[in-house]
Amino acid sequence: MPATASPAPPPDTLVQRLGRPLILCTVGALLILVALARSAWLLAREHDAAGLVLCVLAMVLPGVGLMWLWQHVRQVREHSRQQQAALIEAQTRCERLEGALRCFPDAVALFDAQDCLVLASDRYRSMNPAVAPLLQPGVPFERILRAAAAAGEVVEAVGNEENWVRQRMSQHQSLRQDFLQGLAGNRWVRVNECRTPDGGLIGLRTNVTDFVRQQQALQEARSDAQQARRLLVRALDALPAALEIFDEQDHLVIYNRALQNMFPHIDYPQSVGRPFADMAAESLRHHAVVEAVGQEEQWLAQRLQTRASMSNRSFLQELSGGRWVQAYESRTPEGYVVAIRLDMTEQVKQREALEQAQREGQHVRQLLMDALEALPEGLAVYDTDDRLLLCNTQYRVMYSDLAHLLQPGRPFDELIEYSVTHQHFGQAPKSGETADDWGA
C-alpha cells in the first residue's frame, strides 16, 4: 500500500464535551421555571403586580437563555456533521487517489513544499526496493536520494556518491527537462519532475528498460554490421578484380579499390546509393567507353535496356587509354546486380601481337612462295625431321606421279617408298633389297 497522509479522526463536538452537564442544566432550568410559575400563580392571587412582573421576567429570561443554548447546540452539531462529512469526503478522495496511483502506468511520488515525501505509489516502491522502507510521509527527498546512492541503486552514482547527490539535488531543484537514469540490474527509467501550485513536487518515473535494451541490442547489431562491413570491404579491396554491387533499384551498394582505380573519374565514396544510369552517364561524359564515343545517348539507352533484362552477361569492353576489361554481370534472386571486371589489357595486347605476328608470318610465307614459284627449277624444302614443308609448282610438275602426296608434313621416306614401289625412277629394287635400302 502506498504511504499516504490519512485524515485525522473527527474532534469531539461541543455536545460530546458537555453531554451530561448540559442535560442536568436543562433539567434544572425546567425545575426553576416550574417554581417560578407556581410563585407567579400565588402572586397573582394576592394581586401583587410588582412581584408578578418580576416573577414573569424571571421565567422569561431562563427560557430565552435555554432557547439560545439549544440553538447554539444545534449549530455546533450541524458544524460537526459538516466537518465529519468533509473528513469522510477527504478520506474517500485519498482512497480514490491511491486507487488511481495503483492503476497509473508510471511510478509516482508526491513531495510537499518543504521537499518531504507526502505519498509514493506501489510502483515507485517496487522500482526502488533498496529504499522502499524509507518511503514514509515526512521523509526528505535528499535523505531518500542519499540512501539510494549508498545502496548502489543508481548506476552512475556508484563510486561517486557525494558528487552525484549534489548534481541530482541541483537538477531536482531547477526542474530541468526529463532524463534517463540507469538503475541496478540493467534497469532504466525516464525521470520527469514538475511543481504543483502549492510549491510541492510530483516525480514521475517511467520504466523504459525494454526500450533501452532494444536500443542497446540495435546499437550492438549496428556495430556488428559495421564491423562485418569493414571486414567485407577489406576483403573486397584485397581482390585483384574490380567488383561492384547494385541493389534491386540499381543503386550502388558496395565497391572495392580495384574498381576505383579502374574508373578514377568517378568519386566512388560519394557514389554509394547513386543510380547506375547516372554513373554510366558520367563515364560517357569523360569518354571512358571507346565504343560509345559519338553515340552516347544511343549507347546508354541500349546499355540500360540490356542491363534491365539480363540475368547473366559477359562482354569485353574497351576503355580510354588503350585499356580493356572483361565484364561479368549477374543478377541475384533478390534482384541485386553483381558486376566483376577483370583488366584484360595485357591479354588483349598479347592476342593482338600474336594475330599481328601471324599476319606477318603469313605475309612472309606468301612472299617465299611467290619467290619459289618464280624459280625455273623444281624445289622442295624439308624440316629437320625430314618432313615436307613446301615445294613449288615446278617440283610438282617434275614429280607429277607424286603430286597428290606432296603435302606439307609428308615424310620423305614415304615419298621414296611410294616412288620405288611404283618404279617412278625406272629401276626396281634388286633381289633382297628393300625400298628403304634403295632410297638410302
Side-chain angles (χ1 to χ4, degrees), residues 264-297:
H265 58 275
I266 296 179
D267 185 1
Y268 275 94
Q270 298 298 324
S271 296
V272 174
R274 188 178 176 188
F276 170 80
D278 290 353
M279 300 174 68
E282 183 175 354
S283 292
L284 295 182
R285 287 193 297 270
H286 287 82
H287 306 291
V289 183
V290 174
E291 64 186 61
V293 175
Q295 52 175 359
E296 286 79 3
E297 293 184 1

Side-chain angles (χ1 to χ4, degrees), residues 18-319:
L18 295 178
R20 186 177 298 175
L22 180 61
I23 296 174
L24 292 177
C25 289
T26 302
V27 172
L30 290 174
L31 292 175
I32 293 172
L33 286 175
V34 171
L36 290 174
R38 184 175 180 278
S39 298
W41 178 73
L42 293 175
L43 290 173
R45 290 181 61 184
E46 295 177 358
H47 304 284
D48 187 351
L52 181 59
V53 171
L54 293 174
C55 187
V56 171
L57 290 175
M59 292 175 61
V60 171
L61 290 176
V64 172
L66 186 60
M67 291 178 62
W68 177 85
L69 180 61
W70 276 108
Q71 184 67 23
H72 181 68
V73 169
R74 287 180 59 192
Q75 293 177 354
V76 170
R77 292 181 63 186
E78 182 65 23
H79 178 72
S80 176
R81 283 196 299 272
Q82 293 177 356
Q83 186 179 19
Q84 188 172 7
L87 290 173
I88 293 174
E89 178 65 19
Q91 186 174 7
T92 302
R93 290 178 180 177
C94 191
E95 291 175 352
R96 289 176 181 173
L97 178 59
E98 292 177 2
L101 292 180
R102 292 191 190 98
C103 299
F104 200 65
D106 294 338
V108 183
L110 175 62
F111 295 85
D112 59 19
Q114 285 72 42
D115 214 15
C116 293
L117 183 67
V118 176
L119 61 87
S121 67
D122 292 341
R123 282 189 175 84
Y124 196 91
R125 292 171 172 274
S126 62
M127 196 173 285
N128 301 272
V131 296
L134 195 62
L135 297 177
Q136 301 297 331
V139 178
F141 174 79
E142 184 175 355
R143 181 181 173 188
I144 298 173
L145 205 63
R146 291 185 178 278
E153 189 74 15
V154 182
V155 175
E156 61 183 307
V158 175
N160 189 34
E161 289 80 4
E162 192 61 34
N163 290 334
W164 180 82
V165 169
R166 284 199 300 269
Q167 294 174 2
R168 182 67 182 91
M169 285 300 299
S170 175
Q171 189 178 35
H172 175 73
Q173 292 166 0
S174 61
L175 295 181
R176 301 173 186 172
Q177 61 181 1
D178 58 334
F179 59 92
L180 199 64
Q181 187 177 76
L183 303 180
N186 194 22
R187 295 175 298 131
W188 293 87
V189 295
R190 182 165 292 281
V191 180
N192 194 343
E193 297 174 335
C194 59
R195 290 288 178 191
T196 60
D198 62 352
L201 183 141
I202 294 180
L204 300 178
R205 290 189 171 194
T206 306
N207 190 339
V208 293
T209 300
D210 292 340
F211 174 77
V212 173
R213 288 177 180 175
Q214 290 175 359
Q215 291 296 314
Q216 291 174 341
L218 178 60
Q219 185 63 31
E220 291 176 358
R222 286 177 177 173
S223 178
D224 292 342
Q226 291 175 354
Q227 179 66 18
R229 183 184 178 87
R230 284 193 293 269
L231 292 175
L232 175 61
V233 169
R234 291 172 184 171
L236 294 180
D237 284 342
L239 294 176
L243 179 139
E244 56 186 342
I245 300 176
F246 292 82
D247 62 17
E248 65 275 15
Q249 282 80 39
D250 215 9
H251 292 182
L252 182 65
V253 176
I254 198 169
Y255 66 95
N256 67 350
R257 185 179 293 110
L259 186 70
Q260 176 73 81
N261 296 334
M262 187 174 290
F263 299 98
H265 58 275
I266 296 179
D267 185 1
Y268 275 94
Q270 298 298 324
S271 296
V272 174
R274 188 178 176 188
F276 170 80
D278 290 353
M279 300 174 68
E282 183 175 354
S283 292
L284 295 182
R285 287 193 297 270
H286 287 82
H287 306 291
V289 183
V290 174
E291 64 186 61
V293 175
Q295 52 175 359
E296 286 79 3
E297 293 184 1
Q298 298 88 337
W299 184 90
L300 180 59
Q302 183 178 2
R303 178 77 170 91
L304 295 178
Q305 181 180 3
T306 304
R307 185 180 177 89
S309 59
M310 69 89 183
S311 56
N312 293 288
R313 182 168 177 251
S314 174
F315 56 92
L316 187 65
Q317 190 176 64
E318 183 180 5
L319 303 181

Side-chain angles (χ1 to χ4, degrees), residues 396-409:
R396 293 176 183 275
V397 171
M398 291 174 60
Y399 299 100
S400 58
D401 294 334
L402 296 174
H404 64 285
L405 295 178
L406 296 176
Q407 301 295 331

